[in-house]
Amino acid sequence: MSGPLVVVGDALLDRDVSGAVTRVCPDAPVPVLDEQAATDRPGGAGLAALLAAAQGNDVALVTALADDPAAARIAELLTAAGVRLYPLRMPGATAEKIRLRAGGQTLLRLDRGGAPQAPGEPPEAALEVIASAGAILASDYGRGLLRQPTLRAALAEASAPVVWDPHPKGPAAVAGVRLVTPNLAELRQLTGDAGAGSALSTATRAGHELRRRWRVGAVAVTMGPDGSVLCHSGSTPLVIPAPSEVDGVEDTCGAGDRFAAAAATALAGGALVSEAVGEAVAAASAYVAAGGAAGLHRQPEDQRPSTPAGSAEELVARVRADGGTVVATGGCFDILHAGHVATLQAARRLGDALVVCLNSDRSVRGLKGPDRPLNTEGDRARLLAALDCVDAVVVFDEPTPHVVLSRLRPDVWVKGGDYAGDGAPELPEAELIRGWGGRVVTVPFLAGRSTTATITAARQRGARLIKGAA
């Protein structure tokens, strides 16, 4: 990204007050919440900026703030997260949303701030940061900032890609926006579509209507656990499913902000709109899986994008709790071929779950040289995880899988039959596996199938084609 991600929109202060309900109020039939904790976070466009900054992006926020304690708290929280603020002066009070929660459920939401007030003119510094942006996210929460004429003119003239996250009470996007990201309910309100037919047909019909009406490049309709529907210049929509369903989520607040910010960041990096929406679906799904807004205040964990933290460990724990056998195997799997599949299928038949320990890109380079891998660890992990015989994939950075094996402690460690036979070297992991009573086995290997042979054959064929064309 050549410039910052600039978020332009209405910032709010969100406060979650959590506690316990053990009695009913004596003077009214309502529960009494005994407060145990209160957590503040930026809301609205402020949350979008916070989420983008948490991904390591250079983020600036252009918003309207009143001269009050709520605005001071928003500024404090965002500045601490590394977000640069460019505030417009706003009369009245800064909006606050206070949610009273017990047992993971919201009992009541109290809103403060009253009716939105028209902000003043943006400072020159705000206009300059918009002009220098690598990408722009217009985050509309219906409080009027994106109606400000000078700001709208700056957004219309910006050379950076603009993603517009709309609100039913807000204005239309400026013409020429690269991507608009309503959810299905917002889309129906924005277009007046009654929603006849399936959700997919509604998203397609209303998405194309909004794209035509607002004269924007594309509309990505977010549909929660069903992913997103991208309506672009073609007549056929692109449906991008979520990676997996997420159950028991405490709080999905901010999923739309995470989606829009991820899409804007991807566009700034040169991604196609379809690629940006794919990345946004994955980012929003991961955000929700981590607990949504509630997860922002948990202790951060070491996570790899290709393998959700704890997934392999949780699988192993479940299998062991049921008295099952955990099988593991490992490798680079740079170009997945029939030999790999045969080994994986044979390994899976030896137990109740198969975990694949996958060399990271850095690990593969150390083993195979600077020209490998041909496919990234994310793509390799995704292909492996799509196989019915694979139950989990975990990526490791070291030259050998010793560290991850020590953590998982599988009952059986499997390698292909190229390690079998008289004179074959003992597997380097054998002593480690036997240390906790595990077994090391080999399974039949399909001769003549290898990644190196595949690459060599492809290069030789390419050389012959080039020679013949000459």
Side-chain angles (χ1 to χ4, degrees):
M1 189 185 299
S2 58
L5 171 63
V6 179
V7 181
V8 183
D10 309 293
L12 322 168
L13 179 64
D14 282 343
R15 170 170 289 181
D16 286 353
V17 178
S18 58
V21 174
T22 58
R23 64 191 188 280
V24 176
C25 181
D27 55 0
V30 295
V32 175
L33 179 70
D34 289 320
E35 180 176 346
Q36 296 173 337
T39 303
D40 293 344
R41 64 173 180 268
L47 179 57
L50 180 70
L51 294 174
Q55 302 304 308
N57 298 302
D58 177 15
V59 181
L61 173 64
V62 177
T63 190
L65 295 175
D67 184 12
D68 59 10
R73 181 61 173 151
I74 292 172
E76 177 187 15
L77 293 168
L78 288 171
T79 301
V83 177
R84 289 176 286 132
L85 272 176
Y86 296 85
L88 285 68
R89 297 185 65 84
M90 183 178 67
T94 302
E96 298 180 65
K97 294 182 179 180
I98 304 168
R99 296 185 301 172
L100 306 181
R101 296 170 59 83
Q105 300 294 321
T106 299
L107 306 178
L108 178 71
R109 194 181 90 183
L110 169 66
D111 286 3
R112 292 175 177 167
Q117 303 288 324
E121 286 292 315
E124 190 63 30
L127 301 178
E128 290 174 356
V129 78
I130 290 173
S132 67
I136 298 170
L137 169 58
S139 180
D140 191 358
Y141 272 77
R143 296 193 64 83
L145 180 73
L146 289 171
R147 296 184 186 277
Q148 213 285 334
T150 306
L151 273 185
R152 288 185 68 83
L155 293 173
E157 295 168 3
S159 59
V162 178
V163 174
W164 195 285
D165 194 11
H167 191 281
K169 294 182 180 179
V174 298
V177 161
R178 187 79 61 88
L179 180 67
V180 178
T181 61
N183 63 38
L184 185 58
E186 291 168 341
L187 179 65
R188 290 180 57 187
Q189 293 181 66
L190 289 166
T191 60
D193 194 297
S198 66
L200 175 58
S201 63
T202 300
T204 303
R205 180 178 62 248
H208 279 299
E209 171 61 21
L210 186 66
R211 190 179 73 84
R212 182 198 63 78
R213 189 183 299 180
W214 281 8
R215 294 181 295 160
V216 297
V219 174
V221 187
T222 58
M223 303 178 68
D226 294 324
S228 179
V229 177
L230 176 61
C231 302
H232 44 68
S233 57
S235 58
T236 304
L238 176 64
V239 178
I240 302 174
S244 61
E245 292 189 16
V246 179
D247 297 322
V249 175
E250 296 178 33
D251 189 358
T252 61
C253 175
D257 299 301
R258 182 73 186 96
F259 180 96
T265 303
L267 290 174
L272 300 174
V273 170
S274 57
E275 295 170 333
V277 174
E279 291 187 28
V281 168
S285 298
Y287 169 79
V288 172
L296 292 174
H297 307 288
R298 294 178 181 154
Q299 183 69 26
E301 298 179 0
D302 181 20
Q303 296 183 349
R304 302 190 67 88
S306 54
T307 305
S311 60
E313 287 86 346
E314 291 169 2
L315 170 70
V316 169
R318 288 197 303 271
V319 173
R320 290 228 168 90
D322 292 337
T325 298
V326 176
V327 183
T329 189
C332 301
F333 299 96
D334 193 3
I335 297 178
L336 196 62
H337 54 70
H340 290 142
V341 174
T343 298
L344 294 169
Q345 289 175 331
R348 180 61 177 83
R349 289 193 288 269
L350 297 175
D352 300 288
L354 174 62
V355 179
V356 177
C357 302
L358 180 68
N359 294 75
S360 71
D361 291 347
R362 182 170 66 179
S363 177
V364 175
R365 283 193 295 271
L367 295 170
K368 306 287 187 179
D371 294 335
R372 301 278 298 275
L374 299 182
N375 293 298
T376 66
E377 64 192 61
D379 285 350
R380 291 183 285 124
R382 185 172 182 178
L383 285 171
L384 289 166
L387 298 176
D388 289 342
C389 55
V390 175
D391 297 283
V393 180
V394 59
V395 181
F396 63 92
D397 262 331
E398 300 78 18
T400 71
H402 283 63
V403 173
V404 69
L405 287 174
S406 297
R407 190 169 76 243
L408 298 175
R409 299 170 72 89
D411 302 299
V412 184
W413 174 246
V414 178
K415 292 295 281 187
D418 52 341
Y419 278 92
D422 294 337
E426 185 176 52
L427 288 169
E429 303 86 14
E431 184 178 355
L432 177 71
I433 300 292
R434 295 183 186 122
W436 56 75
R439 292 182 293 124
V440 178
V441 303
T442 58
V443 294
F445 186 81
L446 292 182
R449 278 81 165 184
S450 77
T451 298
T452 300
T454 302
I455 294 171
T456 301
R459 286 173 175 168
Q460 290 174 345
R461 180 172 176 79
R464 289 196 299 269
L465 291 173
I466 294 171
K467 185 178 180 180

